[in-house]
């Protein structure tokens, strides 16, 4: 994992986007994986309003990002259900 408090993984450059955008543009799946494991926000858009997965031609990277995106949706749904159960039981 990338764990350096001095690096902002979600920092967006006006010209190239986030570190995730750069890794996707370069087709570097290992860096994409490390960024995901470090908690990078995959929903951020670059200066052209593109998601990182829209900046690569590497199908493995697109698959990885879409799989992670689905996992995050499921996790948010579980949290929402848990929160509603807590509210009902109060």
């Amino acid at each position: 994992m990338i764990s350096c408090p001095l690096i902002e993984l979600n920092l967006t450059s006006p010209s190239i986007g986030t570190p995730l955008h750069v890794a996707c543009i370069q087709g570097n799946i290992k860096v994409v994986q490390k960024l995901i494991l470090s908690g990078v926000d995959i929903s951020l858009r670059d200066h052209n309003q593109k998601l990182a997965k829209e900046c690569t031609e590497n199908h493995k990277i697109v698959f990885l990002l879409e799989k992670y995106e689905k996992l995050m949706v499921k996790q948010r749904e579980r949290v929402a259900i848990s929160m509603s159960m807590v509210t009902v039981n109060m």
Side-chain angles (χ1 to χ4, degrees), residues 72-90:
M72 298 283 51
V73 168
K74 286 182 182 179
Q75 184 177 357
R76 282 191 297 264
E77 288 171 354
R78 284 190 208 120
V79 168
I81 290 170
S82 295
M83 293 302 290
S84 67
M85 292 174 72
V86 168
T87 305
V88 169
N89 291 330
M90 291 184 114

Side-chain angles (χ1 to χ4, degrees), residues 24 26-29 53 55-63:
C24 287
Q26 295 175 346
N28 194 330
I29 194 164
K53 70 179 181 181
C55 295
T56 187
E57 294 178 8
N58 185 319
H59 299 291
K60 290 180 181 180
I61 290 176
V62 174
F63 176 79

Side-chain angles (χ1 to χ4, degrees), residues 8-76:
E8 174 55 57
L9 298 177
N10 294 316
L11 184 66
T12 303
S13 162
S15 59
I16 57 174
T18 66
L20 182 60
H21 284 88
V22 174
C24 287
I25 290 166
Q26 295 175 346
N28 194 330
I29 194 164
K30 288 185 179 187
V31 172
V32 170
Q33 289 171 324
K34 288 181 180 186
L35 288 167
I36 288 171
L37 290 172
S38 298
V40 73
D41 184 350
I42 66 168
S43 69
L44 295 177
R45 295 183 179 271
D46 68 5
H47 61 288
N48 293 318
Q49 297 304 308
K50 287 187 174 184
L51 296 170
K53 70 179 181 181
E54 298 169 335
C55 295
T56 187
E57 294 178 8
N58 185 319
H59 299 291
K60 290 180 181 180
I61 290 176
V62 174
F63 176 79
L64 177 65
L65 289 169
E66 287 178 348
K67 188 172 182 179
Y68 180 71
E69 188 175 35
K70 289 177 186 174
L71 180 67
M72 298 283 51
V73 168
K74 286 182 182 179
Q75 184 177 357
R76 282 191 297 264

